[in-house]
Every structure is written in structure tokens, then in C-alpha cells.
Amino acid sequence: MKSLIPALVASLLSLPAAANEEHIHSSPYAGQQMRETKSLSPDDIAELERGGGWGLAKAAELNGMPGPSHVLEMKRELGLTPDQEALTRSIFETMRHEAIAEGKRLIAEEALLEVGFRERSLDRDSLRDRLRQIELSRSKLRYIHLAAHLEMFRVLEEAQIKRYNELRGYVR
């Protein structure tokens, strides 16, 4: 009991100090306000500008449907024939060309949204229009990447697809 009373007094005396303490509400986004386009990191922009997948084809990739870029990287392990390699390269180049163009459109649309917020020129209707354009571009970009995964099924043999998934770590 004797030790309980000093502990109780100490905790009661610290209450006013705790109440006066400054609360910190730091954001996990702190520092990102310096980006030119706030919603895209420099890595995001670089990935979009080079036609990279940006994680948009996970639905295909994680369901065992190979992507052309990875197939080309593993062409020896998969035992691609010259015809398969040529078809895969064609699918990849078409995907990359279309993805670069659409990626640049997406970056431009995000930049317009950024300008609208920076200049305080958006209203609810213009915001809705901006978002429609951004999501239309993102949807097109995702389609480009997913369609390339679909096309790989006409190129690869079942055993190659199985080996691809083993090499990618999807089969245990």
C-alpha cells in the first residue's frame, strides 16, 4: 500500500504535463509534397515511361499466365524455339510500344490533376472529369499488359508454362 500511494501521486501530477504536450500528426506522405506530380513517385514515372508493368498484370502473372518480358529473360531455361522467341519478342515489343504511349498519357493526366489542385481550379465536376480520364488511361494500360500475358498462351507449350511458374517461384 505504501508503494501504491507514491505511484498514484506521480501519475496524477503528470496528467497536466501530458495534457499540455504537443501532439504530432506527421503524415507518411511527408516529403512527397516536393514532387512535381504528387501522386507519382520518380520510380513510378520512370516505370511508366519505359513501358514497365507497374504491377498491372498481377492478375495474370499470379494465376500462372507468363508475361513476355519474363519469358524473354528465361528463354534458355524455358527452351524457347527460334519461332517462339520471335513471337514472344513481337508480343513484347508491341506491348512495350503501346505501354510507353499510354504511360505517357497517364503521367500527363496525373499532371493535369496536380495543376488543378495546385491552382485551386477544380470543382466537383472537373474533378470527376479528370479522374475519368486518369482511370481510362490506367485501364488501357492495364489492358495492354494483361493482353500480352493472354497472348503468351498461344506461344508456349504447357510444359514451358509450368517451368515458367516454377522459375518465378509460384509452384512449390
Side-chain angles (χ1 to χ4, degrees):
M1 184 73 169
K2 287 183 181 182
S3 64
L4 183 61
I5 293 175
L8 184 60
V9 169
S11 66
L12 288 173
L13 290 175
S14 67
L15 283 176
N20 289 330
E21 219 175 274
E22 187 175 324
H23 293 283
I24 307 220
H25 299 285
S26 183
S27 168
Y29 306 136
Q32 295 179 14
Q33 73 275 12
M34 305 309 288
R35 295 178 181 171
E36 188 172 330
T37 302
K38 314 297 188 256
S39 58
L40 296 173
S41 72
D43 288 344
D44 292 334
I45 292 171
E47 178 84 349
L48 291 166
E49 287 178 337
R50 72 172 187 79
W54 208 39
L56 295 172
K58 282 184 184 178
E61 178 73 17
L62 297 177
N63 279 294
M65 299 181 76
S69 147
H70 302 301
V71 168
L72 289 171
E73 291 168 0
M74 296 183 271
K75 65 184 178 184
R76 284 182 190 83
E77 294 96 325
L78 297 175
L80 293 187
T81 66
D83 287 346
Q84 285 177 314
E85 184 177 348
L87 277 170
T88 301
R89 194 166 304 285
S90 175
I91 292 167
F92 173 73
E93 290 302 328
T94 298
M95 176 197 72
R96 187 174 157 276
H97 176 76
E98 291 175 0
I100 287 171
E102 197 58 51
K104 288 179 179 179
R105 275 191 282 279
L106 178 61
I107 293 166
E109 291 297 339
E110 287 285 354
L112 289 173
L113 179 68
E114 170 69 30
V115 168
F117 276 106
R118 185 181 319 126
E119 294 178 353
R120 310 290 194 261
S121 60
L122 291 171
D123 58 25
R124 292 174 71 88
D125 290 334
S126 61
L127 173 61
R128 184 173 283 112
D129 291 341
R130 279 284 109 242
L131 293 175
R132 276 191 191 113
Q133 291 305 309
I134 289 168
E135 293 311 315
L136 177 61
S137 181
R138 184 184 307 263
S139 174
K140 287 178 182 178
L141 190 57
R142 191 169 188 202
Y143 175 82
I144 291 164
H145 286 285
L146 288 168
H149 282 253
L150 283 176
E151 287 187 57
M152 290 308 302
F153 263 87
R154 69 179 172 85
V155 175
L156 299 176
E157 306 273 328
E158 191 174 320
Q160 291 171 312
I161 293 169
K162 182 178 184 225
R163 182 69 178 133
Y164 173 94
N165 285 300
E166 289 169 356
L167 290 169
R168 295 289 284 162
Y170 305 141
V171 178
R172 302 278 176 218

